[in-house]
Amino acid sequence: MESSKLSNNLLKGIHSLGLRKTDQSQLTSKDKRYVQSMEKVLASFDALEEWADYIAFLSRLSKALQLSDDAKVLHTVSWIPYPSQVANKLSLCLSSRLPSGVHQKTLSIYESIFNALTPETLNKELPIWLPGLLPLLSYCSISVKPQFIRIFKEIILDTITQNNLRIVSKPLILSLLPGLDDENSEVFTDILDLMDNFKLKLNDDPHFWQSMFLCIISNPEKRLGALFWCNKRLPVFTSLKESDPSYFSDEARACLTPESGLLIRALSTSINSKTSLNSASDIIVVRGFFDILLSHLPLDSAAFEKIISSKDKELLIMSSCRVTLKKDMSLNRRLWNLFLGPESDPEHPKLLSRSEYFKKYALENLTDGLLRLVNSKIVKEIVEGFKLAQFILMDKWEISNLITPNLFSPFLSICYKNRDNIEILGAAQSFFDGIESSYIWNDIVNILVENNIENLDLLEFVLRTFNFNEEEMITVHAPLAILCLMANCNLSIEHLKILELMFSLVPSRAFSPIESESTEDYSNERIMNLIKVYYRERLADESAKLPFSVEHMSYLIIKSLKQLVVRYISDEKICYNLSTILCDVTYSIPQSDLFIWSNRDLIDAMLALDCTDETSNEATKQKNLLIAFGIAKIFNTLSKSLTELERKKILKIILSNLWPSIYSSYPANHQVESVKTIYELEISCSSHNVEAGILDLLLKVPRKQRVKAFETLWTHSVSFSEGDSILVRPLQLLLDDLCDDDNQNSLGVKDFIRLALKNGSGNRLLKLITNPLLDYDFMHSDREELRSDDDLAQFSYYMGSIVNVIQAQEKSLKEAFNNEFAVTDSNAKLSLIKSNNWDISTYKSLLFSVTDRFLKLALDKSILDDEDVLNHYYSCINNSLKLLNILVTGNESFFGDKFHLLINTCNYYMHLPNPKSHCLELIQTKFLASIFHFLEVSQGLKINLNLLHVTEEGKKPLLVRFIIEGIDMSKSSLLLESWISLLTRSLYLFNESVFSVLLTLNDALIKKIEYYFTRLTSFEPFGDSEDMELSTNILITGLEDLLSISHSFLVTSNLRASADKTNQGAVDSGFLNTVIQGVFQIESPAIRTSEQNKLYSILLSFQDSVKIAFRIWNWSDSKPKIPIDSTVVAERSLTYLGHKLKFRARKLLESLMDLEKQEVIETLVEASPSMASTIKLLNILDGGRSQVTLPFIFDSIYSRCYPQLLEETHKSSLNIPITEKDLSKFLVNYFESIDNDTISDVWGTTIHFLRDVATHPTKFHAIYPDCLKICRILSNKTSATKLRDQKKARKELSDTFVKVFNSTISKKSVALNQDSDKESDQEEVRAPSEEPPNVLQDDILEALNVVIPSLENIVDDSDRVSTLISTLISHLITPQIRPKRVDEISMKALALLEIIGRFNPSRAWKALVFDSFMDISFFSSNATRFKLWDSIIESWISNDKERFSEMITKITPSVSSSPSNLFIWNESSEVESKISTIKRITYLIIIQPNDYFLTHLDELFDRIEYSLNTECPANYRSEITTLLRAITLKFSELHLLPHWTIITQELTAILDPLCGKSTKELANLAGEHLKLILFGCKLLDQLLLLGYDEFNLNEWLFVSSSPDIITSGSKDNLLSLIDKIASENDLPYIRDSPIKIEQPHGELVPLLRGHNHITSITKLRSFFESFSLIHYERTFGLFDVDRGACLADIQNDLT
């Protein structure tokens, strides 16, 4: 049913088109009655509803027109009243919604009018009558088409002048093309004949064809009809004369004149046609036009050479290539035929081959087009270029062979430049996979031959990025490229990387056994020439023969590699990598019994290498070290071809060069790698030779570095199965230093023993020192006496060694001997044990057995007679007894009466200015041993030495000052450990007096730790005497002892001070809290002050210690990077060192946590640079048991917010400067780290905490936002796991959350003042940290933004959720929004509003958003706010769709326009209200998806039509044009079909009044009219930009679409409004320059983008003058449209 809403568009005031109201004063009475009858009939149109009403209306109109069918009066009527209104009604009666009967009746009236009007009148009023007819053929029924054809054929073509036909040629062609869509149609022939008649009547074939091509370019929906027309009428573009290749038929020349580019663009767009209304026809159009291209315009056509430009040819070729993206084989075949031409014909030998055809006619343009694509700055075009190249090269070898050399290298370069773009990289990899391997490796070889360093990065990128797994690549091409690289370069690091990459590609099967050495001389130059020739031949002929056989190539590769190794064997940067490659290749090539390699040059080069010795400088040592790794690789490979002497010489070179790293002072200088290399030498040499070499080097090493060297070997050889085989004699050499206590190295050996026991190597050590005792003959059971020929001296030596070892670490060794199980690894020793019936389990029992056996042996007389032998025997007995005494007894004592003298003397040696500091350190060590022993004795005898006595005011006690200076000045770890031992021992003597010096001692230790740590992290070198790793461990141990001992004294002191209130609790939370209680309960002021000082000292010491430990742990955990220029640091060694430091720092923190967990946790939170590292560390310290750590964090918050809730033992000291807000933020992140399974363990504690928080809002208000986040985390984690009572737990959480939520958003909480409420008790309460109210409110908004999305998961009750949202809106959001302008609302409030809309769009939310949307300041927001408002309003209208219908009803006047009500638009407030409503409708349309309001589209157009039919003001119409821009942009073309009449007529109504105005009138245009004109121009610009097919039928009304007008600039007989305005009106000049109109380029954007206000019509001068030309250039340029820019411009015009 059709109501009056079916469009009632009255074209208002368009004078130049005959729409001026008839001047009845000059009419006769008959004419007046005629006009009145017409007015009456036209007025009745509003009441039409049913289609029958339309028939009746048309009958009344026909009667009122009074047009006769008599042939005598044809073309005699010079005017018809109200022609525009009549044409408007008739065009509406041709609506696609009406039946064919109405169409037929309407056409009859059209026919009568056309027959009646004089030719002059019809030609003058052509823009009035013709537009209504043009769209009809595209949708009318078959019964209507003959009538339509007759009107056009018999009336229009016969009546319209040739000039007017030229003007309307494009719309006429567009109108007729739908009739050619179906070749089987009954009217196809008639339409074809009509088109021929039109072409004939036009009498301008070039103009006709240019118009046809423009139609094809700009109207995808009409291309199917154009295809059938072209099939019938498009000429073939081949020469008619063989002698003149440019001699074309007249029709062909017409198609190419005056602009051949239109033909090319028509074919280009059609080959890639894509429609929106009838997509099923796309493939027909594409195939059809491709066939036309092949048959009518092949690439060998002379038109390309003589007329068509190379750029246009390239455009056509690239458009053709894009069909490959459709993956349609039928299209691909057409493309190959286009590129390769016809098949060769044996009867016509002059024809080119297909490959030659492509090379001559397509290669250059195709290459240029693809290169232009990939050189674009647009990622999409680059990817398209790679894809097109891939498809084109894939199928046809004729194309691939010719174009690949042109594309491959540039494409790789483009890929390299865009290597960070994943999309481009993926397309490039696919392209690479489709390239034949010969082309790839030809380019690689060319890069290697050119030897350009700049291209090596590109080559490395290619080798690392692309796929080289094809068999031919890795077995043929890669070896050839390797040979080329080795033959043509001075090897650099970059070349080496390439060489390694290429060798990594080559599998073992690429090589073959070498049967004999080549007798042919292959120079490097010849090798390269052979390879280059091979690739030249290979590209021309795939059967080209390889330049070398596989065996020969294997030989050349090995030979070249050996030459390179010999050449670069002394280059530390290259040697190792080359050696590794050589070894790998040697292993890969199968061995042949017929051929043995000659390695003499390589062996001589190895023998000629320098050996590192004590005279070598550091740089030489480091260089030789790196070289040694390489020659060790080769040594193991070539060992079979070496003589014994050569083998030993090379072994010496390798060991000598590796040795400096073994005892290097830097802790990560390739130690791990060196030890591994030494043990790998056993593959080529006997273990005895390796052991002898090590022993020799140990003897040459300075004694102070010998222990470090052996310790390195010991530590890193644990993983080797026979690791002890080469360490027996070196260990004995080391232990010899224990014999003499004055020996400088004895302390180092003792420390090695201690570390071996500590690190779990005790059994290994005991086995090595006890095994020799069982090798003596007198240990057998059949021996009863000792003889002089027994080697007692050696036995004494072994026994003395054991004694010395035990004395070195008596306690630890005693435990080790007592606990370690004895290991016996030989049958002889087992039989010895059995023969003596020894019961041996541990090493202690073994020593007891050996000692007993020796003591039971009788002495031969010869021993007693020989004094020397007897002395040896005495030594054996002495050592045996010492061994027994050590194992059985344990403690000794000594005297001490000159303690202060020892200190002063040692202090004297400390300050001697002597460069030989190591010697002085040894002297200090002896003194310290004496002092330490003295202190032990004094403690046993309870002697008071006045250790903390201060001689002068302001100075530290003597012993304390002595210890601090000693620690600070110590360099060696041995001396430092002695100082720390002295400090630890002294602490027990200080007793509770330690608190007076605690901070001093603590600072000294931390300062020393920081000194070592800072040097390590900055990679500074350490001195030979410094052992950073060991020294740090010693200092951390001392710090741990200092704090633990001092803490124990604090406990004792507090217990004594509060003996009357014994309290045994608070063990877990730390005793400091008990101290706090005691401090405030002790009555004596003097005692209170002392206790406070003790507490303060402990707290500061704990904080400083935790911070330094955390720094060390965090650095080690963060995997520090090695500086690029460092040569003394290796990654694995540094990692090993970092793990040890990390472990030690963790142990310290664990100890401190055991003492004061809460203080440690608070310090870590305060000191941490990132929460993640603190949380990770806490999880490590508590073993992943969050239930251990969380209560202490809660207590810290309680202590700062409301300490009355805590027992005294749980309160924090509050000494750490951290707020409850900091703790709560940390708590949120900590909960995030808790795994789902652990949440049940912390559930009870957490819920209790949250309840307390909810119960006391005034105390905990600062942490409420974070508590909300915690609730969200708990809810998410409980959803992922199962608690014991899931339902109860979720209810607890829900109830608690609701309380916290309500308290958070309550007015009292949000506006909370910072004064603490007074509690009932009178105790002083520490106020929570203060924050400005705006900061607190921002935190709340931020927390709510996080919580709202999970609200339904937290509160599993929809009613409660709705209540919470309503409360939130009323208490928090509404106060933020109501008092403010919309553009002043905070971003966080908007973000919260947006989140609520996405997840919980409640009624209150809808009301609030609606009120904000209706606010007059809504469109004053900036772009950033609009992004949030877009999402908010989108959610709102999706949940409240009826609001859109309400808005539509409000855009029309509230009362109807009638003669009695002439002032419906006079109320300015009503006009402004309706303008605002239109803006809101426009905004809603542009933020929603396309066609979202489709159901409201007809109603909306009805309202627009109704409003435009009234005398609406100009500012109202301006907003209507903006609304029309939004509609045409956001609704599909199919749904706009019935509404183009309204849009076209409104555009005409805006622009036409300008044509007849004088210069003065134009200069005095009001501001609102100027805005209307500007917005009308914007609407026209956008419609032409989008290029909708139906609007293109009427574009001739506004811009000149005739090609000759564009090219010649002719302005005669203009009908288009824009050109008439530009040519006929003398636009006034003003000072302001016109708006600059940019020429089209890239993606098309609106010409007037960003302009929403003009001050004079002259601002549009450039627009009017250039718009027709720019529109033509847009069509000709085939540019894409930036629809986003159109949307942005609409939104900008709303503000």
Side-chain angles (χ1 to χ4, degrees), residues 1264-1275:
Y1264 269 13
D1266 292 325
C1267 290
L1268 293 177
K1269 296 178 185 178
I1270 291 171
C1271 291
R1272 182 189 69 86
I1273 297 169
L1274 288 175
S1275 175

Side-chain angles (χ1 to χ4, degrees), residues 966-1215:
I967 292 174
D968 184 57
M969 298 177 66
S970 297
K971 292 186 177 179
S972 70
S973 58
L974 302 178
L975 180 59
L976 184 61
E977 185 173 24
S978 299
W979 283 108
I980 298 299
S981 299
L982 177 60
L983 169 62
T984 305
R985 185 71 261 168
S986 301
L987 292 176
Y988 291 106
L989 300 178
F990 293 160
N991 207 332
E992 293 184 17
S993 301
V994 72
F995 297 107
S996 63
V997 295
L998 177 58
L999 286 176
T1000 304
L1001 294 171
N1002 192 73
D1003 289 345
L1005 292 173
I1006 291 176
K1007 180 181 177 183
K1008 191 69 173 177
I1009 294 173
E1010 286 183 334
Y1011 167 75
Y1012 281 118
F1013 182 65
T1014 301
R1015 291 180 62 190
L1016 174 66
T1017 54
S1018 59
F1019 297 97
E1020 295 180 13
F1022 290 90
D1024 292 340
S1025 62
E1026 293 178 303
D1027 190 332
M1028 176 267 159
E1029 176 192 340
L1030 185 54
S1031 297
T1032 304
N1033 283 337
I1034 292 168
L1035 288 166
I1036 292 176
T1037 302
L1039 187 62
E1040 182 179 347
D1041 292 340
L1042 173 65
L1043 294 177
S1044 59
I1045 294 170
S1046 301
H1047 187 272
S1048 66
F1049 288 146
L1050 181 64
V1051 174
T1052 306
S1053 173
N1054 189 69
L1055 286 174
R1056 184 163 52 252
S1058 56
D1060 55 334
K1061 294 183 179 180
T1062 304
N1063 187 354
Q1064 298 299 329
V1067 175
D1068 289 339
S1069 65
F1071 212 84
L1072 286 181
N1073 299 298
T1074 307
V1075 174
I1076 297 168
Q1077 180 185 10
V1079 167
F1080 294 107
Q1081 288 182 352
I1082 296 174
E1083 297 179 0
S1084 171
I1087 297 178
R1088 179 183 303 170
T1089 301
S1090 174
E1091 294 301 315
Q1092 286 176 339
N1093 286 337
K1094 294 177 183 179
L1095 172 62
Y1096 184 72
S1097 299
I1098 280 289
L1099 289 176
L1100 289 184
S1101 299
F1102 263 71
Q1103 290 175 34
D1104 294 342
S1105 302
V1106 170
K1107 288 177 182 178
I1108 186 62
F1110 177 75
R1111 277 184 59 199
I1112 296 173
W1113 182 90
N1114 195 38
W1115 177 83
S1116 302
D1117 186 64
S1118 62
K1119 297 180 180 178
K1121 293 184 178 180
I1122 301 172
I1124 298 175
D1125 57 349
S1126 175
T1127 60
V1128 296
V1129 184
E1131 183 177 356
R1132 291 174 62 183
S1133 297
L1134 185 62
T1135 302
Y1136 169 78
L1137 174 65
H1139 285 168
K1140 297 194 72 174
L1141 292 177
K1142 181 179 175 183
F1143 173 78
R1144 193 63 194 88
R1146 177 171 64 84
K1147 285 297 183 183
L1148 173 60
L1149 289 170
E1150 286 176 350
S1151 298
L1152 299 181
M1153 286 276 280
D1154 291 339
L1155 299 176
E1156 290 301 335
K1157 189 180 291 289
Q1158 190 160 331
E1159 295 300 317
V1160 173
I1161 292 173
E1162 290 186 13
T1163 304
L1164 287 174
V1165 174
E1166 188 262 339
S1168 170
S1170 66
M1171 290 186 182
S1173 57
T1174 302
I1175 292 171
K1176 180 179 179 180
L1177 179 56
L1178 284 177
N1179 285 330
I1180 292 173
L1181 293 176
D1182 62 20
R1185 296 172 299 157
S1186 302
Q1187 64 270 26
V1188 175
T1189 301
L1190 265 180
F1192 295 96
I1193 304 177
F1194 291 152
D1195 289 347
S1196 296
I1197 296 176
Y1198 279 128
S1199 300
R1200 286 162 174 79
C1201 293
Y1202 198 14
Q1204 285 81 354
L1205 293 177
L1206 287 179
E1207 297 178 7
E1208 291 295 334
T1209 56
H1210 288 269
K1211 292 179 181 178
S1212 170
S1213 67
L1214 303 181
N1215 189 62

Side-chain angles (χ1 to χ4, degrees), residues 1559-1565 1570 1626-1635 1653-1662 1665:
T1559 302
K1560 183 177 181 180
E1561 289 175 322
L1562 291 174
N1564 294 327
L1565 285 174
L1570 290 174
D1626 185 14
L1627 297 180
Y1629 284 91
I1630 56 175
R1631 291 183 180 179
D1632 294 339
S1633 58
I1635 296 173
H1653 174 74
I1654 57 174
T1655 57
S1656 169
I1657 191 67
T1658 311
K1659 284 283 189 181
L1660 298 175
R1661 176 191 296 276
S1662 297
E1665 291 177 349

Side-chain angles (χ1 to χ4, degrees), residues 553-660:
M553 187 163 55
S554 302
Y555 171 82
L556 289 176
I557 288 176
I558 288 287
K559 180 182 177 182
S560 299
L561 261 179
K562 288 187 177 182
Q563 290 173 349
L564 285 177
V565 172
V566 171
R567 183 178 176 184
Y568 293 99
I569 196 167
S570 59
D571 189 333
E572 71 278 11
K573 297 179 180 179
I574 296 178
C575 176
Y576 179 77
N577 301 74
L578 270 182
S579 302
T580 303
I581 294 173
L582 176 59
C583 294
D584 292 343
V585 174
T586 304
Y587 291 139
S588 298
I589 297 179
Q591 296 297 317
S592 172
D593 297 333
L594 302 177
F595 176 72
I596 300 177
W597 272 101
S598 173
N599 299 311
R600 178 44 51 192
D601 291 344
L602 189 53
I603 295 170
D604 291 342
M606 294 169 66
L607 291 171
L609 289 171
D610 295 331
C611 281
T612 299
D613 54 28
E614 57 275 3
T615 63
S616 303
N617 57 36
E618 288 299 323
T620 302
K621 290 180 180 179
Q622 202 63 32
K623 175 181 178 181
N624 292 344
L625 168 64
L626 298 176
I627 292 173
F629 290 130
I631 62 173
K633 281 272 186 184
I634 306 173
F635 179 57
N636 292 331
T637 303
L638 304 181
S639 60
K640 293 182 180 180
S641 59
L642 297 172
T643 65
E644 186 63 26
L645 180 60
E646 289 173 339
R647 188 178 292 111
K648 290 181 179 180
K649 286 182 178 181
I650 296 176
L651 174 63
K652 180 181 179 181
I653 294 172
I654 294 172
L655 288 176
S656 298
N657 291 345
L658 291 175
W659 195 248

